[in-house]
Amino acid sequence: MRWTDCIRDAIGYIEDNIGEALTIEDIARHVHISPFYFQKGFAMLCDFTVSDYIRCRRLALAGSELAATDAKIIDIALKFGYDSPDSFTKAFTRFHGCTPTAARKGGASIKSFAPLSVKFSLEGGYSMDYKIVEKDAFTVIGLKRTFKYEDAAQAVPELWAQFHQMPQARAICPMYGVNTDETMTGDTFEYLIADNYNAQADIPEGFVTRQIPRFTWAVFVCKGAMPQTMQDVNRKIYSEWLPNSKDYEIAAGYCIEMYEDADQYPKGTQDENYYSEIWIPVKKK
């Protein structure tokens, strides 16, 4: 299924079940894609995580009902997935800028948030530098955290900032960002800021080792200032290369970012020639 069809079907399924207990697994199953692949592709194409999109749609619809009907606030809260008046009021106020009570009285403005509309457009026409590489299993060492997909855009950069302030950071060269979701079915993933493991060296306090299995990797070149260059390549991988590849598909819930030493470049990671890579494990279709 092409991504345009996949996203269109997913949006339709969300709208049809907006008052139900929607899960990533349910939506991904409906469009016949793994939760891992679906969450990444949806976020790349739509600029929303799936959870953020559902939350915004529910709060927009709740606002409309408050303004247009006499339904009790608690009933509307329950209808759109909020178990208590307090949690609904907090979420509603953050989204609309007013309380449910104020919206009901009609003296405050409420926000709209229309369903996403998928339209056909010609994409591509650009080149992507990549190679297919067989790589044996290898072990890395680094700082590990577990994140929710919906928090990743903010949480991962914060982890890198924390890492560079840690005394233990001097013990390794942070050349990898390792994303791991081995089951490919959940709403969380493991992230490591890592280096190749040296069995002769001590493991710094708070650090862990992880073995990366043997895979065939599609290795994509990113050349330019960070993080924009890597974000652009990542978006093209999930929106264009993977959906249109006749030979390969994702083999496992891994993704590795490889970073060259920033000290080699006059402007560090902001240099126009800064080199990094994205590794995706693939298998023949």
Side-chain angles (χ1 to χ4, degrees), residues 15 20 101 113 115 201:
E15 291 300 312
E20 305 298 325
T101 302
F113 186 88

Side-chain angles (χ1 to χ4, degrees), residues 78-92:
L78 292 171
K79 178 179 179 179
F80 292 106
Y82 291 89
D83 296 331
S84 72
D86 285 345
S87 62
F88 178 64
T89 297
K90 289 178 181 178
F92 190 96

Side-chain angles (χ1 to χ4, degrees), residues 6 13 74 109 125 141 162 178 181 188 229 256:
C6 172
Y13 182 79
I74 184 58
S109 299
I141 179 173
Q162 294 169 13
V178 182
D181 180 358
T188 64
T229 297
I256 296 180

